[in-house]
Amino acid sequence: MAKQRICVDMDEVLADAIARFQEWYGRDFQLEFTLEALRGKHPHEIVAPEHQPALRAYPNAPGFFRDLPLMPDSQRVMKELAGRYELFIASAAMEFANSFLDKYEWLQKHFPFIPWRNYVFCGDKSILNADYLIDDNAYNFDNFRGEGILFDAPHNALETRYRRAHNWQEVGEMLL
Amino acid sequence: MAKQRICVDMDEVLADAIARFQEWYGRDFQLEFTLEALRGKHPHEIVAPEHQPALRAYPNAPGFFRDLPLMPDSQRVMKELAGRYELFIASAAMEFANSFLDKYEWLQKHFPFIPWRNYVFCGDKSILNADYLIDDNAYNFDNFRGEGILFDAPHNALETRYRRAHNWQEVGEMLL
């Protein structure tokens, strides 16, 4: 029987993009925000109005996606999944055209066991032909033909429609 | 009823990459090759052995995909298809990591009526969830869930397994 296929999102699923928001917010404004403050919201929604344009622009700035920290246990569980499933990376990279090469190199460095043939940079994730999509944005499950698994993130705390994985260990328990 | 979805490849379908091979081959070696010589073959297969590494490397060189000429009638037919179908661009851009931004900008310039949300840069095209894939490489139809339409190119002249469109006018006749 053919292996089932899993697509995995990058930002806030494999890579900790919030850590970069916190780092740059501190660098530019000498301010901090906590993960608790992000509950149900995105970073630009919890800062002062005059700082919002800067935070909205961060992901388009060169280097934003370079060297992002890994989410805990992601490498270990992904390696186990790779033995049992066809594993693809599916990032909405089209939103940030400067991010392509950073994201490509990040994947090569941290997930060398996933071939580049299995990377997908897209916009609308309904284009993915897969059995599972692990993603922190519930809107990516609209019209997705498989099952969406919501990866826990502060901004999606109020979403109740999908199976939720709170961390990579839970992803492993669900799928292995 | 939901619109049917078409994915369209870029190189040698929307963009004339062979013209760039011919141009650079002339620039570097003061030699020419014709489309007739390419029948059933790729450019690097028809040049002298000592020139083959250079031709293989061309697509990785900065600028290869920049300002590629358009295939005749592609804009007109694509615009008509966009009214009747959900239209996605699906390029195997992962093979040439330096090509991402060139390809993105080329699409924005020449096909502004297709939103960036409908761009897909991938490797293995079996990941596409679509009804049709218009592509010059028959191997991209392996495990594709919809119907493959082979866009005529010199290298695929000997392929007989798929419906063939010889040009964009024929694509329009098939799908409009």
Side-chain angles (χ1 to χ4, degrees), chain B residues 137-149:
Chain B
N137 282 308
Y139 60 75
N140 285 326
F141 304 146
D142 293 346
N143 303 314
F144 173 61
R145 67 186 304 256
E147 182 190 346
I149 295 177

Side-chain angles (χ1 to χ4, degrees), chain B residues 54-119:
Chain B
L55 267 74
R56 279 181 177 280
Y58 282 169
N60 273 313
F64 182 87
F65 293 97
R66 207 174 298 150
D67 306 319
L68 284 184
L70 280 157
M71 298 297 265
D73 301 318
S74 57
Q75 285 170 311
R76 176 181 62 77
V77 177
M78 286 285 278
K79 197 171 281 184
E80 289 173 42
L81 289 173
R84 196 89 78 82
Y85 294 87
E86 254 195 299
L87 208 51
F88 280 69
I89 305 292
S91 175
M94 288 304 155
E95 199 173 348
F96 307 112
N98 286 318
S99 73
F100 299 138
L101 211 52
D102 284 346
K103 285 177 176 258
Y104 182 92
E105 288 171 354
W106 191 91
L107 289 169
Q108 296 267 301
K109 178 178 175 186
H110 295 293
F111 295 91
F113 50 93
I114 300 179
W116 56 260
R117 291 192 179 277
N118 290 20
Y119 301 167

Side-chain angles (χ1 to χ4, degrees), chain A residues 40-103:
Chain A
K41 297 186 175 164
H42 291 277
H44 68 264
E45 296 174 301
I46 60 166
V47 299
E50 63 270 29
H51 298 158
Q52 287 174 12
L55 267 74
R56 278 181 177 279
Y58 282 169
N60 273 313
F64 182 87
F65 293 96
R66 208 173 299 148
D67 306 321
L68 283 184
L70 281 157
M71 298 297 265
D73 300 318
S74 57
Q75 285 171 311
R76 175 181 62 77
V77 176
M78 287 284 279
K79 197 171 281 184
E80 289 175 40
L81 289 172
R84 195 90 77 82
Y85 294 87
E86 253 196 300
L87 209 51
F88 280 70
I89 305 292
S91 175
M94 289 302 155
E95 199 173 347
F96 308 112
N98 286 318
S99 73
F100 299 139
L101 211 53
D102 284 346
K103 283 176 177 260

Side-chain angles (χ1 to χ4, degrees), chain A residues 27-166:
Chain A
R27 176 198 70 187
D28 295 346
F29 305 108
Q30 294 73 53
L31 290 169
E32 292 180 10
F33 61 79
T34 63
L35 295 184
E36 289 69 38
L38 278 177
R39 190 177 152 81
K41 297 186 175 164
H42 291 277
H44 68 264
E45 296 174 301
I46 60 166
V47 299
E50 63 270 29
H51 298 158
Q52 287 174 12
L55 267 74
R56 278 181 177 279
Y58 282 169
N60 273 313
F64 182 87
F65 293 96
R66 208 173 299 148
D67 306 321
L68 283 184
L70 281 157
M71 298 297 265
D73 300 318
S74 57
Q75 285 171 311
R76 175 181 62 77
V77 176
M78 287 284 279
K79 197 171 281 184
E80 289 175 40
L81 289 172
R84 195 90 77 82
Y85 294 87
E86 253 196 300
L87 209 51
F88 280 70
I89 305 292
S91 175
M94 289 302 155
E95 199 173 347
F96 308 112
N98 286 318
S99 73
F100 299 139
L101 211 53
D102 284 346
K103 283 176 177 260
Y104 182 92
E105 287 171 354
W106 191 90
L107 289 169
Q108 296 267 301
K109 177 177 174 187
H110 295 293
F111 295 91
F113 51 93
I114 301 179
W116 57 260
R117 291 192 179 278
N118 290 20
Y119 301 168
V120 186
F121 292 169
C122 61
D124 178 348
K125 291 190 180 177
S126 75
I127 195 63
L128 300 169
N129 178 25
D131 300 290
Y132 297 98
L133 170 58
I134 303 174
D135 205 297
D136 65 310
N137 283 308
Y139 61 74
N140 284 325
F141 304 146
D142 293 346
N143 304 312
F144 172 61
R145 67 186 303 257
E147 181 189 347
I149 295 177
L150 190 68
F151 196 87
D152 193 59
H155 70 81
N156 67 31
L158 309 177
E159 176 60 63
T160 56
R161 289 173 295 167
Y162 304 97
R163 191 141 68 122
R164 180 180 295 264
H166 289 87

